[in-house]
Amino acid sequence: QVQLVESGGGLVQAGDSLRLSCVASRGAFSSFVLGWFRQAPGKEREFVASVSSTGGSTDYADSVKGRFTISRDNAKNTLYLRMNSLKPEDTAVYYCAVRATFYTSRRTNDYAWWGQGTQVTVAS
């Protein structure tokens, strides 16, 4: 079992930046693939970004590529999402998730553990 706690969300203006953090309770964090997902009101949860266990491989949804950066600090059991040039359509609850394999995925069903989410609201 892995417990995840996200933080760093808030209300910002379009064009601003935010950095989300996700702290995991378990030391084996460093062996797992990690991901960020988001869910806007009335929409399904969608993939945002993922990072391999070593941090050497990343994947991004087309909608955030070039604006968001996913990273991890295994020594601190922490996952990050740096979000630049935020747009109103980025407004959503952002979730971090853990996939207990070495292979990245964009599918929500492939991730076993989830945080409670942090709200990001981007005003126009």
Side-chain angles (χ1 to χ4, degrees):
Q1 186 73 16
V2 179
Q3 293 183 328
L4 305 168
V5 178
E6 301 100 333
S7 62
L11 172 62
V12 297
Q13 298 295 315
D16 286 350
S17 297
L18 277 176
R19 189 180 78 160
L20 305 183
S21 299
C22 172
V23 179
S25 63
R26 182 173 164 177
F29 174 93
S30 62
S31 301
F32 300 153
V33 166
L34 305 175
W36 286 101
F37 291 77
R38 66 187 182 186
Q39 187 167 18
K43 295 187 177 181
E44 293 188 353
R45 193 170 298 188
E46 65 175 4
F47 170 79
V48 174
S50 65
V51 61
S52 63
S53 57
T54 63
S57 177
T58 57
D59 185 27
Y60 296 93
D62 287 345
S63 59
V64 306
K65 196 172 296 183
R67 299 188 297 122
F68 291 10
T69 302
I70 189 171
S71 61
R72 63 192 296 166
D73 185 337
N74 287 341
K76 296 182 179 179
N77 283 0
T78 302
L79 174 69
Y80 302 101
L81 184 68
R82 177 69 179 181
M83 305 185 295
N84 295 331
S85 302
L86 282 161
K87 305 175 181 180
E89 51 263 43
D90 294 318
T91 295
V93 177
Y94 283 72
Y95 299 89
C96 63
V98 177
R99 183 164 194 244
T101 76
F102 296 113
Y103 305 103
T104 61
S105 171
R106 295 186 171 198
R107 291 160 39 94
T108 57
N109 288 344
D110 287 342
Y111 288 77
W113 297 291
W114 293 82
Q116 83 290 347
T118 185
Q119 177 71 47
V120 172
T121 303
V122 184
S124 58

